[in-house]
Amino acid sequence: MRATWAHRSGAALTERLSVDVLRPESLLVIAHPRSPLSMRPSVRWTELAGERWILPAPTSLVRQAVDSAFICHGHRPPQPAIESMSPATNVSLVAQGLGLAALPGTAMIPAERRGIVQRLALQPAIPLPPVTLVYHALSGSSDKIE
């Protein structure tokens, strides 16, 4: 899907951007592969509420999505045991058994394939805005964008 966004400063058109939606994205909760939660066929929000969490700062999109998901399921959002903005660091901390983390699916797939983390069977997934490509509309399409 392609859309054009125009930012207006007063009456003057200052910039035109094209936005291509590339794919949907969701947030997955991951744990150490030997965590008791990893062995379960399904995990409830109640069980996640009492766990140690590795989360980014409260202003991040990921943290806001996690907090909203807990609230929507009737629970107080967790206070992180560790606060980190780096997805790679968060995967490493989970792999060391230091807590749970929530990451976009694309950020944790390589670690899951290596067997150092395990996604939890939590449904429904935590939605995120789709992955998009934003570029100047006047530049049109280029080989790099394609």
Side-chain angles (χ1 to χ4, degrees):
M1 174 188 342
R2 178 171 287 164
T4 300
W5 177 77
H7 174 72
R8 296 186 187 274
S9 175
L13 181 62
T14 58
E15 190 173 32
R16 294 182 68 81
L17 299 175
S18 287
V19 180
D20 290 349
V21 176
L22 302 178
R23 68 176 180 277
E25 183 65 278
S26 61
L27 214 49
L28 302 174
V29 176
I30 61 171
H32 187 278
R34 290 189 298 274
S35 161
L37 292 174
S38 295
M39 311 294 180
R40 310 223 14 217
S42 66
V43 177
R44 297 186 318 249
W45 285 94
T46 303
E47 297 163 306
L48 297 181
E51 294 293 318
R52 286 177 47 93
W53 280 86
I54 301 156
L55 292 170
T59 56
S60 75
L61 177 64
V62 168
R63 177 74 169 274
Q64 292 171 4
V66 169
D67 289 353
S68 293
F70 271 96
I71 291 167
C72 287
H73 288 90
H75 300 284
R76 174 176 268 149
Q79 291 300 310
I82 300 171
E83 217 172 79
S84 164
M85 292 297 288
S86 166
T89 298
N90 295 353
V91 166
S92 178
L93 293 168
V94 170
Q96 294 174 48
L98 298 176
L100 304 178
L103 296 166
T106 52
M108 56 74 60
I109 289 172
E112 184 180 44
R113 286 185 181 146
R114 291 193 327 262
I116 63 172
V117 300
Q118 173 72 41
R119 81 177 70 188
L120 299 183
L122 177 66
Q123 291 297 324
I126 304 168
L128 285 178
V131 175
T132 58
L133 176 63
V134 180
Y135 57 96
H136 196 279
L138 298 178
S139 68
S141 184
S142 74
D143 293 334
K144 290 182 181 178
I145 292 174
E146 296 298 324

